[in-house]
Amino acid sequence: MKVKVSRKAHFNAAHRLFRKDWSNQKNEEIFGKCNNPNFHGHNYELIVSVIGEIDEETGYVIDMKILKDIIKEEVEDAFDHKNLNLEVPEFKTLNPTAENIVVVIYNKIKPKLDPKLELEITLYETPRNFVTFSG
Amino acid sequence: MKVKVSRKAHFNAAHRLFRKDWSNQKNEEIFGKCNNPNFHGHNYELIVSVIGEIDEETGYVIDMKILKDIIKEEVEDAFDHKNLNLEVPEFKTLNPTAENIVVVIYNKIKPKLDPKLELEITLYETPRNFVTFSG
Amino acid sequence: MKVKVSRKAHFNAAHRLFRKDWSNQKNEEIFGKCNNPNFHGHNYELIVSVIGEIDEETGYVIDMKILKDIIKEEVEDAFDHKNLNLEVPEFKTLNPTAENIVVVIYNKIKPKLDPKLELEITLYETPRNFVTFSG
Amino acid sequence: MKVKVSRKAHFNAAHRLFRKDWSNQKNEEIFGKCNNPNFHGHNYELIVSVIGEIDEETGYVIDMKILKDIIKEEVEDAFDHKNLNLEVPEFKTLNPTAENIVVVIYNKIKPKLDPKLELEITLYETPRNFVTFSG
Amino acid sequence: MKVKVSRKAHFNAAHRLFRKDWSNQKNEEIFGKCNNPNFHGHNYELIVSVIGEIDEETGYVIDMKILKDIIKEEVEDAFDHKNLNLEVPEFKTLNPTAENIVVVIYNKIKPKLDPKLELEITLYETPRNFVTFSG
Amino acid sequence: MKVKVSRKAHFNAAHRLFRKDWSNQKNEEIFGKCNNPNFHGHNYELIVSVIGEIDEETGYVIDMKILKDIIKEEVEDAFDHKNLNLEVPEFKTLNPTAENIVVVIYNKIKPKLDPKLELEITLYETPRNFVTFSG
C-alpha cells in the first residue's frame, strides 16, 4: 500500500547547450538558439516525489522537512543562481539538457533516501517543457 | 485500451498532527508546528482519477456528472469547512497527515465505482506538497 | 534508463456531444447541456509526453522543435478554431468526448514518432476535467 | 478605506466573430480564423471584483454567497454551454469579442449590487488573452 | 515614473467567522459553515506590492530580500500554522474575514517601509476568493 | 468607457546584476547571488496590457494579432535566449533588474501603438517576484 509524496522546489540558472567536440556549425544546427555562447537561462521548477509505505506511527512516508532539507542541500544550494556549464561539476562534460539535468538530480537525491523508497523527479525547464525520470 | 479521466475538486479544513499516546515533547519533536493544539488549516485540492475502458456507446469512461456527485457526497460534504480531528470519524484515531487523508478518500470513493474501474487520488495539502494513492 | 519529455500546447474548438442514432430525449438525458445543438466550446490544453532513452550525443530524448512541429501539424492546424463535429473528419461519426479526442490525438501523433518511443497524451477539456491516454 | 473582493467563476461557450453587414472577405480579413462560420469555443474564466467599505458588523464588503449567486444567475446560467451568437440575446446584433462580452457582463451584474459598490470584471478568453472593464 | 514590485508569500491557518455578541442563530445565518465552532482553515496566498520610484543606483524600488524579511517577520512568523482567532492578537476581537485580515497585514507592513513607498496587499483565502487593499 | 486588453508572452534570458563602477565587494553586498559573474537566468513571463475605447465596428480595443506581432518584434526577438547584459543594447550600461527591464519594454512598445492607447507592462522574473509599469 504505497503512497507517493511530492514536494515542489525551484532554482534559477544560466546554461548553454553545446558539445565541445562539435563544430560551431553542427552545434548551431542541432541546438539552435539554445547554443548561444553568451548563455541564456531558466526558472527551473522541480517536483521531487518519493514513493513508499506509510509509517504507521507517524502517518508519513517521509518527513517533508527532511525531504525539503535534502532538496535544499543537493539541488538548490548546488544549482541556484549558478551557470550550470561553468559552475556545476556534473555539467563540465555533460550537456545540460533538461533530460541530463533530471538524471543528475535523481542521482544526487537517491543515495540520501532510505533504499526502500523509490524516487521520481520532474523538472520544468519552462512552463511548457518538462521532463520526468524515475530511475 | 484504457483512458484515465480526472476531475478536480477542493475542500477547506482545519487539522492538527499528533498522537494521543505520545508525550507533548515527542509530538512537538516529530510534528513541529503542525502539532499546534489550536489547529491550523488548508485549502485541500483534490484530483480524482478513474481508469477504465471507453464505453463505445457514450464515449465516456465514466459520466463526469456521476463522478462529481460521488466526490461531493463522499469528500466535500464530509470534509469541507470541518475540523478533521474533531468532526470526521475516520480521523478520530488516525493522524490526519496528507498520506492518511488520501487513503481514506480512496477507501470512501472506491466502493461507489464499478469494480472494473481503477482509482487514483491526488491530494494537494499546499500548492507545494501533495500525495498520490492508487490502492 | 528512460526519461519522459513533455510539451504543452493548446487549441480552441467548438463541439457537441450527441449520437445521431439516438432520440433527442436520450441525447438530452445522457449528455445534458453538452448536447446543445448550437454547440459550445473549450480551450483545450494538451500535454504530449514522449518516453525514451536519452540520446548520448545530443542529451535529448527527442528534439523539442521536432515534437513542437508534429503537434502543430497534427493537432493545432487540424483542430484549432474548428468545429470538431462539422470540420474534423475523425469526429464525423465519433462522438467528440474528451476520451475520444485524446485517443484520436494519440493515433495521429504516434506514427510520426520513432517506433522506439512511447507516447502519452493528456488533454484538459476544462481546468477541472482532463483525460490521459498512453496506448 | 475600501477593499476589493474578487470571486472567480467560469463558463464554456461557442462563438464566432463577424458582422452581418460586412462581406465574407472583409470578415475574413479582420477576424481571421475567429470568423469560422461553424463556430469555435472557449473556457471563459471570469473574475468579478466588488469594491467598497468593509461592513463593521460582518467584516464583509459583500457576502460572497450573495455574489456567487448573482454570478450564477446573470452569467453562468445565461452563457454556460451556450452559443453566444445564436442563444444569448445581447449578442444577436453585437459582435461577441472579449471586449464586448466583458461590458455585457458588467452591465448585467452592476444593477444587482448596492449602488455604493464599484464593480470590475476581468474575463479570460484563453489563458493568454484577457480583458478588464470597470465602468 | 513609479514601478510596482510584487512578492508572493503564503501561510496556513485555522479560523472561524463569528461575533461573540451575536446569538448562535445569527452567527449561523450570516456566516454559515464558516462559523463552525471547531474551526476550518486555509492556505492563504499573499501578494505584497510596493510602489515607488526606481533607485537610479541600484535599479531597485526596494531590495526584494528586505521585503521578503519584512513579510516573514510581520506575516509568516505571526500567522503561519496558527489559529487566527485564538493565537493572533489582532483577531481577539476582530472577525478574521479575508477583508479584515488584509487590512491587518497592510497595517503591520506599512510602518516597516520608507514612507515614500505605497503599499498594496492581495490575499487569496482560496484559489477562487481573494481581496485587495491599498490603504 | 475604456477596456484593458492583455496578452501574455514569455522569453528566457541570462542576466547578472552589477555596476561596473562599484567594487566587487559592494556589488556582492547589494546584489548577493544575483551578482554571479558567470550569470544566472530566468523564464520571464510578460503581460502586455493596452487600455482604450472599444472600436464600435470591430468590437476590439486593438487587434490581438497586431499586439502579438509587436510583442514578438520588440521583446521576444530582442530578448529571447539572449544574455541581457552582453547582447541587448539597452542593458550595456543599465543594470538589468526587473524594474529596469519593465521600463525598457514599455519604452519599446509604446511608440508602436496608437497614441490614444495607454500601456501597462507586468513582468514576472520568477513565479514569486514581479513588477508592473504603466508610464
Side-chain angles (χ1 to χ4, degrees):
Chain A
M1 215 180 72
K2 290 187 170 185
V3 170
K4 173 159 79 166
V5 299
S6 300
R7 170 94 194 152
K8 288 194 187 173
H10 63 103
F11 60 94
N12 311 319
H15 79 153
R16 172 197 181 185
L17 300 187
F18 84 117
R19 289 182 65 99
K20 283 179 202 162
D21 57 337
W22 284 2
S23 68
N24 283 353
Q25 201 192 321
K26 184 158 186 197
N27 272 306
E28 196 62 29
E29 203 181 297
I30 302 296
F31 297 121
K33 58 187 178 176
C34 300
N35 176 41
N36 181 344
N38 291 316
F39 308 102
H40 64 285
H42 298 291
N43 301 328
Y44 291 93
E45 298 287 324
L46 182 70
I47 302 174
V48 176
S49 301
V50 171
I51 300 108
E53 304 285 340
I54 303 179
D55 179 289
E56 281 197 24
E57 266 217 305
T58 59
Y60 284 162
V61 168
I62 183 174
D63 185 333
M64 275 289 180
K65 289 183 295 293
I66 292 170
L67 184 59
K68 192 178 164 186
D69 287 347
I70 293 171
I71 298 170
K72 184 176 183 308
E73 273 170 50
E74 296 302 323
V75 184
E76 292 175 349
D77 290 352
F79 293 1
D80 189 36
H81 281 75
K82 295 283 168 65
N83 183 307
L84 298 180
N85 302 67
L86 302 181
E87 297 175 298
V88 177
E90 285 85 355
F91 303 110
K92 281 283 154 69
T93 58
L94 182 69
N95 203 6
T97 60
E99 288 92 330
N100 283 335
I101 300 172
V102 81
V103 172
V104 163
I105 291 173
Y106 180 94
N107 288 335
K108 293 190 77 173
I109 293 180
K110 190 73 179 69
K112 304 285 166 173
L113 298 175
D114 182 324
K116 284 178 302 190
L117 298 171
E118 297 163 59
L119 178 63
E120 180 183 275
I121 309 286
T122 294
L123 181 74
Y124 282 75
E125 191 174 73
T126 74
R128 302 183 76 175
N129 290 345
F130 56 101
V131 296
T132 304
F133 181 61
S134 47
Chain B
M1 214 180 72
K2 290 186 170 186
V3 170
K4 173 159 80 166
V5 300
S6 301
R7 169 94 193 152
K8 288 194 188 173
H10 63 103
F11 59 94
N12 311 320
H15 80 151
R16 172 196 180 184
L17 300 186
F18 84 118
R19 289 182 65 99
K20 283 179 202 162
D21 57 336
W22 284 1
S23 67
N24 284 352
Q25 201 192 321
K26 184 158 185 196
N27 272 306
E28 196 62 30
E29 203 180 298
I30 300 297
F31 298 121
K33 58 186 180 179
C34 299
N35 176 41
N36 182 345
N38 291 316
F39 307 103
H40 65 285
H42 298 291
N43 301 327
Y44 290 93
E45 298 288 324
L46 182 70
I47 303 173
V48 176
S49 300
V50 171
I51 301 108
E53 302 285 340
I54 302 178
D55 178 290
E56 281 197 23
E57 267 217 304
T58 58
Y60 283 162
V61 168
I62 183 174
D63 185 332
M64 275 289 182
K65 289 184 295 294
I66 291 169
L67 184 58
K68 193 180 165 183
D69 287 347
I70 293 171
I71 298 170
K72 184 175 183 308
E73 273 169 50
E74 296 301 322
V75 185
E76 291 173 350
D77 290 352
F79 295 0
D80 190 35
H81 281 75
K82 294 285 169 62
N83 183 308
L84 299 180
N85 303 67
L86 301 181
E87 297 175 298
V88 178
E90 285 85 355
F91 303 110
K92 281 282 155 71
T93 58
L94 184 68
N95 202 7
T97 59
E99 288 92 329
N100 283 336
I101 300 173
V102 81
V103 172
V104 164
I105 291 174
Y106 180 94
N107 287 336
K108 294 190 76 173
I109 293 180
K110 190 73 180 67
K112 305 283 166 175
L113 299 175
D114 182 324
K116 283 179 301 190
L117 298 171
E118 297 163 60
L119 177 64
E120 180 183 275
I121 310 286
T122 294
L123 180 74
Y124 282 75
E125 191 174 74
T126 73
R128 304 182 75 174
N129 290 345
F130 56 101
V131 296
T132 304
F133 181 62
S134 48
Chain C
M1 214 180 73
K2 289 187 170 185
V3 170
K4 174 158 78 166
V5 300
S6 300
R7 170 91 193 151
K8 287 193 187 173
H10 62 103
F11 59 93
N12 311 320
H15 80 151
R16 172 197 181 185
L17 300 187
F18 84 118
R19 289 182 66 98
K20 283 178 203 163
D21 57 337
W22 284 2
S23 67
N24 283 352
Q25 200 192 322
K26 185 160 184 194
N27 273 306
E28 195 63 28
E29 203 179 297
I30 302 296
F31 297 121
K33 58 187 179 177
C34 299
N35 176 42
N36 182 345
N38 290 317
F39 307 103
H40 64 283
H42 298 290
N43 301 328
Y44 291 93
E45 298 288 324
L46 182 70
I47 303 174
V48 176
S49 301
V50 171
I51 300 108
E53 304 284 340
I54 302 178
D55 179 289
E56 281 196 24
E57 266 217 306
T58 59
Y60 284 161
V61 168
I62 183 175
D63 185 333
M64 276 288 182
K65 289 184 296 293
I66 291 169
L67 184 57
K68 193 178 164 184
D69 287 347
I70 293 172
I71 297 170
K72 184 176 183 309
E73 273 169 51
E74 296 301 323
V75 185
E76 292 173 350
D77 290 353
F79 294 1
D80 190 36
H81 281 75
K82 295 284 169 63
N83 183 308
L84 299 180
N85 302 68
L86 302 181
E87 298 176 298
V88 177
E90 285 85 354
F91 303 109
K92 281 283 156 68
T93 58
L94 183 68
N95 204 5
T97 59
E99 289 92 330
N100 283 335
I101 300 172
V102 80
V103 172
V104 164
I105 291 173
Y106 180 94
N107 288 335
K108 295 190 75 174
I109 293 180
K110 191 71 181 70
K112 305 285 166 174
L113 299 176
D114 183 323
K116 283 178 304 191
L117 297 171
E118 298 163 60
L119 177 63
E120 180 183 275
I121 309 286
T122 294
L123 181 72
Y124 282 75
E125 192 174 72
T126 72
R128 302 183 76 174
N129 290 345
F130 57 101
V131 297
T132 304
F133 181 62
S134 48
Chain D
M1 214 179 74
K2 291 186 168 185
V3 169
K4 174 158 79 168
V5 299
S6 300
R7 170 93 194 153
K8 287 194 187 171
H10 62 103
F11 59 94
N12 311 320
H15 80 151
R16 172 197 181 185
L17 299 187
F18 84 118
R19 290 181 65 99
K20 283 178 202 163
D21 57 336
W22 284 1
S23 67
N24 283 353
Q25 199 191 323
K26 185 159 185 195
N27 272 307
E28 195 63 29
E29 204 180 296
I30 302 296
F31 298 121
K33 59 187 178 177
C34 299
N35 175 42
N36 181 345
N38 290 317
F39 308 102
H40 65 284
H42 298 290
N43 301 328
Y44 290 94
E45 298 287 324
L46 181 69
I47 303 174
V48 176
S49 301
V50 171
I51 301 108
E53 304 284 340
I54 303 179
D55 179 290
E56 282 196 23
E57 266 218 306
T58 59
Y60 283 163
V61 167
I62 183 174
D63 184 334
M64 275 289 185
K65 289 184 296 292
I66 291 170
L67 185 58
K68 192 178 165 184
D69 287 347
I70 294 172
I71 297 170
K72 183 175 185 309
E73 274 169 50
E74 296 301 322
V75 185
E76 292 174 350
D77 289 352
F79 293 1
D80 189 37
H81 281 75
K82 295 285 168 61
N83 183 308
L84 298 181
N85 303 67
L86 302 180
E87 297 176 298
V88 178
E90 286 85 354
F91 303 110
K92 282 282 155 71
T93 59
L94 183 69
N95 203 7
T97 59
E99 289 92 329
N100 283 336
I101 300 172
V102 80
V103 172
V104 164
I105 291 174
Y106 179 94
N107 288 335
K108 294 190 76 174
I109 293 180
K110 190 73 180 67
K112 304 284 167 176
L113 299 176
D114 183 324
K116 283 178 302 188
L117 298 171
E118 297 164 59
L119 178 64
E120 181 183 275
I121 309 288
T122 294
L123 182 72
Y124 282 75
E125 192 174 75
T126 73
R128 303 183 76 175
N129 289 345
F130 56 103
V131 296
T132 305
F133 181 61
S134 48
Chain E
M1 214 179 75
K2 290 184 168 187
V3 170
K4 174 158 81 167
V5 300
S6 300
R7 170 92 193 153
K8 286 193 187 173
H10 62 103
F11 60 94
N12 311 321
H15 81 151
R16 172 197 181 184
L17 299 187
F18 83 118
R19 289 182 66 97
K20 283 178 202 163
D21 56 337
W22 285 1
S23 68
N24 283 353
Q25 200 192 322
K26 185 160 184 195
N27 272 306
E28 196 61 29
E29 203 181 297
I30 301 298
F31 297 120
K33 58 187 179 178
C34 299
N35 175 42
N36 181 345
N38 290 316
F39 307 103
H40 64 285
H42 297 290
N43 301 327
Y44 291 93
E45 297 288 323
L46 182 70
I47 303 174
V48 176
S49 300
V50 171
I51 302 108
E53 303 284 339
I54 302 178
D55 179 291
E56 282 196 23
E57 266 217 305
T58 58
Y60 284 162
V61 167
I62 183 174
D63 185 333
M64 275 288 183
K65 289 183 296 293
I66 291 170
L67 184 59
K68 192 178 165 185
D69 288 348
I70 293 171
I71 297 170
K72 185 175 183 309
E73 274 170 49
E74 297 300 323
V75 184
E76 292 173 350
D77 290 352
F79 295 0
D80 189 36
H81 281 74
K82 294 284 168 64
N83 183 308
L84 298 181
N85 303 68
L86 301 181
E87 297 175 299
V88 177
E90 286 85 355
F91 303 110
K92 282 281 155 72
T93 58
L94 184 69
N95 202 7
T97 60
E99 290 92 328
N100 283 335
I101 300 172
V102 81
V103 172
V104 163
I105 291 174
Y106 180 94
N107 288 335
K108 293 190 77 173
I109 294 180
K110 190 71 179 69
K112 304 286 167 175
L113 299 176
D114 183 324
K116 284 179 300 189
L117 297 171
E118 296 164 60
L119 177 64
E120 181 183 275
I121 309 286
T122 293
L123 181 73
Y124 282 75
E125 192 174 74
T126 74
R128 303 183 76 176
N129 289 345
F130 56 102
V131 296
T132 305
F133 181 61
S134 49
Chain F
M1 214 180 73
K2 291 187 168 184
V3 169
K4 173 158 81 167
V5 300
S6 300
R7 170 93 193 152
K8 287 193 188 174
H10 61 103
F11 59 93
N12 311 320
H15 80 152
R16 172 198 181 185
L17 300 187
F18 84 118
R19 289 183 65 97
K20 282 177 202 163
D21 56 338
W22 284 1
S23 67
N24 283 353
Q25 200 192 323
K26 185 160 184 195
N27 273 305
E28 196 63 29
E29 203 180 297
I30 301 297
F31 298 121
K33 57 189 180 176
C34 299
N35 175 42
N36 181 345
N38 290 316
F39 307 103
H40 65 284
H42 299 290
N43 301 328
Y44 291 93
E45 297 289 324
L46 182 69
I47 303 173
V48 176
S49 301
V50 171
I51 301 109
E53 304 284 340
I54 302 178
D55 179 290
E56 280 196 22
E57 267 217 305
T58 58
Y60 284 162
V61 167
I62 183 173
D63 185 333
M64 275 290 183
K65 288 183 297 294
I66 292 170
L67 184 58
K68 193 178 163 184
D69 287 347
I70 294 172
I71 297 170
K72 185 176 182 308
E73 274 170 51
E74 296 300 323
V75 184
E76 292 173 350
D77 289 353
F79 294 0
D80 189 37
H81 281 75
K82 295 284 168 63
N83 183 308
L84 299 181
N85 302 69
L86 301 181
E87 296 176 299
V88 177
E90 286 84 354
F91 302 110
K92 281 283 154 71
T93 58
L94 183 69
N95 203 6
T97 59
E99 290 92 327
N100 283 336
I101 300 172
V102 81
V103 172
V104 163
I105 291 173
Y106 179 94
N107 288 335
K108 294 190 75 173
I109 293 180
K110 190 70 181 69
K112 304 285 167 175
L113 299 175
D114 184 324
K116 282 179 302 190
L117 297 171
E118 297 163 59
L119 178 63
E120 181 183 274
I121 309 287
T122 294
L123 181 73
Y124 282 75
E125 191 173 75
T126 74
R128 301 183 77 176
N129 290 344
F130 57 102
V131 296
T132 305
F133 181 61
S134 48

